[in-house]
Amino acid sequence: MHKANHHSARASRVVRLGDPVLDRYLEFVESRARHNTLLATASDLKTFFRIVDKAPADVTPADVLGFVTEQRKPKGDGRVVRLADGESGLAARTIKRRLSSVSGLFSYLVLCGDVATNPV
């Protein structure tokens, strides 16, 4: 009984972005990873595709580089700096995680035959 409740609770927290290609990938991630990993992946992909406003099949390496550049830009008024390195913008660790999520999507799409190469 406990497992059934756990499964139904997890099923009620379905994470989707509303794009058929991205949602198919999120279903794949959901079947293989913890829920927090799914949430982070969905957030990373949402951020990426909000900045790179293209369909996955149209994303180029230049788009990925543009995304990284955008992530490194100072946020807000530029007066806030990271304690770790004195720089502004997102931490390198956050950018790497986001790129890892995007790369995972494109590796999956290459395997499925939806794109020819991984632009990351």
Side-chain angles (χ1 to χ4, degrees), residues 38-73:
L38 173 65
L39 293 175
T41 301
S43 176
D44 294 343
L45 294 177
K46 183 176 181 179
T47 299
F48 179 81
F49 285 102
R50 186 176 45 233
I51 292 169
V52 178
D53 191 18
K54 293 183 172 182
D58 298 330
V59 173
T60 66
D63 295 322
V64 175
L65 290 174
F67 173 74
V68 171
T69 299
E70 181 67 27
Q71 298 298 288
R72 289 185 174 151
K73 285 184 181 176

Side-chain angles (χ1 to χ4, degrees), residues 2-19:
H2 178 69
K3 283 190 173 203
N5 288 340
H6 176 69
H7 178 69
S8 62
R10 187 172 179 161
S12 68
R13 298 183 298 175
V14 172
V15 177
R16 299 295 180 263
L17 296 176
D19 177 281

Side-chain angles (χ1 to χ4, degrees), residues 20-57:
V21 173
L22 299 180
D23 289 347
R24 189 178 79 213
Y25 177 64
L26 290 175
E27 287 177 30
F28 172 75
V29 171
E30 184 176 44
S31 71
R32 304 176 67 90
R34 293 175 177 244
H35 192 70
N36 286 343
T37 300
L38 173 65
L39 293 175
T41 301
S43 176
D44 294 343
L45 294 177
K46 183 176 181 179
T47 299
F48 179 81
F49 285 102
R50 186 176 45 233
I51 292 169
V52 178
D53 191 18
K54 293 183 172 182

